[in-house]
Amino acid sequence: GHWQIIKHRANGLLNAGGYYDALLGFLGETVARGFVSPPQHALLQVSTDPAQLLDAIGKAAPRATAPDDYGRI
């Protein structure tokens, strides 16, 4: 499912104007309550700058545990 993609691959959110602040707060709470591990949460990169976000995703990608096979989506 889609959650498998999120929790095992590097992902990014372009948080323009704080649009995703509430979602990020929720995701932080899922870590605090033990539903998502800190290493999984660390795969989600967040920035307000597109270039920084792409760079951060590139740096996080080697920590991802899923193969880069998007054909199974």
Side-chain angles (χ1 to χ4, degrees):
H2 297 303
W3 180 244
Q4 295 298 320
I5 295 166
I6 293 170
K7 74 179 199 175
H8 295 293
R9 290 201 170 99
N11 293 280
L13 285 177
L14 184 61
N15 194 22
Y19 184 82
Y20 289 110
D21 286 349
L23 175 62
L24 295 169
F26 167 75
L27 293 174
E29 190 65 24
T30 65
V31 175
R33 293 178 184 246
F35 293 105
V36 175
S37 73
Q40 289 172 333
H41 186 263
L43 291 172
L44 177 62
Q45 304 303 305
V46 181
S47 181
T48 58
D49 178 80
Q52 276 185 329
L53 181 59
L54 291 174
D55 185 52
I57 292 170
K59 289 177 181 172
R63 296 192 314 266
T65 59
D68 289 335
D69 178 11
Y70 294 98
R72 295 182 290 155
I73 297 173

